[in-house]
Amino acid sequence: MSGARDETVADAPPIMGNVPGSYALSVFRERHPVLVRQVARALPYPPDRRRALDRLLDEVVDDIMEPLEPSAYDGAAWAEWGRGKIGGRYVDVPFLWGESYFYRKLLEATGYFGDGPWRGVDPFGPMKQGELDGPVVDGELAALDETQTLSAAERAEALLLGSLWGNRADLSFGVTLKGDQERVADLVVDDRPLLWSLIEAAAPGRICLVADNAGRELLPDLVLADHLLSRGLAAEVVLHVKPFPYFVSDATPADVLACLRRLAAAPGTAGQAGTRLWGAMEEGRLSLRAHPFACAPLPYSEMPDDLREEFASASLTVMKGDLNYRRLVGDRMWPASTPFAAVTGYFPGPVVALRTLKSDALVGVPERTLAELDAAGRPRSVSSWRTGGTHAMVQARP
């Protein structure tokens, strides 16, 4: 199924940040100011960069979207995307757009695109590296040895669930049946049988894996890619990442290489996977894409033709993480029972979303499941399960 969005489904309004008590409002009011301060502390920025970060902090606290300089890298594109938006409040534009603009302004403040010495320096690099070098990752990679005691089917499910839960749970949770059962109970939609059937029907196919976060989330994504390649389920895995830092820990090509080195240097099963992946990249069976659209403030329904052709050529596209899910379904206030296929009909090929719930965008959940989850959330908040990272979903559309 591909083509336009199902015409029988009326467009829902975009998620906005100006709704009192909403998750989106808390991001603009609470998360962004804290993040600017964290970035300012993470690296020894010189006075001009620190002044720029101070100006950005004032901007987000005052809630006024100041324009980029006309000479800024991609400044013309943002001026076009921001027509009628820039100059107003962050909370008064669609959440996806306003959040994206904040991160673009953060890169501008740190000098990421400038001609000076801070050009190309990832402002989130210390956070990413600290996580990747931490002892927790040693334990998670060592836990992969235990997957060798599982049956082939059990191991495949454990690796899939490890990729799904990413940095909300470590790699070790899924290596036992008990861990699997605990995590499966928190799936609000479970299309795993359809996912595997799509992969097996096209094997060995060409799978596009659109990554989300670096570090502890990217590692299990890479291990899953190794499983698909080494088991003959994929002839090629194309890993789509961001061309430059976007949201806090989004994966870039440099992050992929750091994770490959971390895997290859590990002992046991993890190291074997890393060595295979290193070779697969040298042979072209594992390849990287870093399309500029990955950092655009737009839904995938507005993707350019060359990216559409890329996804159309794949036997399956796997969208990882919350941000990719928001872009896939349009980051709108859909009734949560709206069919997943109805809002993703535009996508040019089979698509699967592996997503831990961290925001309000949500489709394809049966009414009964919604009622049960909302009831379980009371008396605190009926929506806490939608944004707290405690639940996840596997949604597939042939």
Side-chain angles (χ1 to χ4, degrees), residues 252-335:
T252 66
D255 296 319
V256 175
L257 299 180
C259 284
L260 284 177
R261 288 193 296 268
R262 185 74 159 95
L263 278 172
T269 301
Q272 294 166 14
T275 299
R276 287 192 297 267
L277 288 167
W278 195 280
M281 185 165 283
E282 291 181 329
E283 297 162 3
R285 294 185 297 116
L286 175 64
S287 57
L288 286 179
R289 296 288 188 275
H291 196 285
F293 186 76
C295 295
L298 304 171
Y300 280 108
S301 60
E302 299 181 36
M303 75 180 91
D305 290 342
D306 61 333
L307 186 58
R308 179 177 294 276
E309 291 169 4
E310 170 91 11
F311 290 141
S313 70
S315 56
L316 179 67
T317 296
V318 178
M319 292 283 184
K320 267 300 308 292
D322 194 75
L323 177 58
N324 281 321
Y325 186 88
R326 291 167 61 189
R327 298 184 74 192
L328 181 64
V329 304
D331 208 40
R332 294 177 176 272
M333 292 300 296
W334 299 106

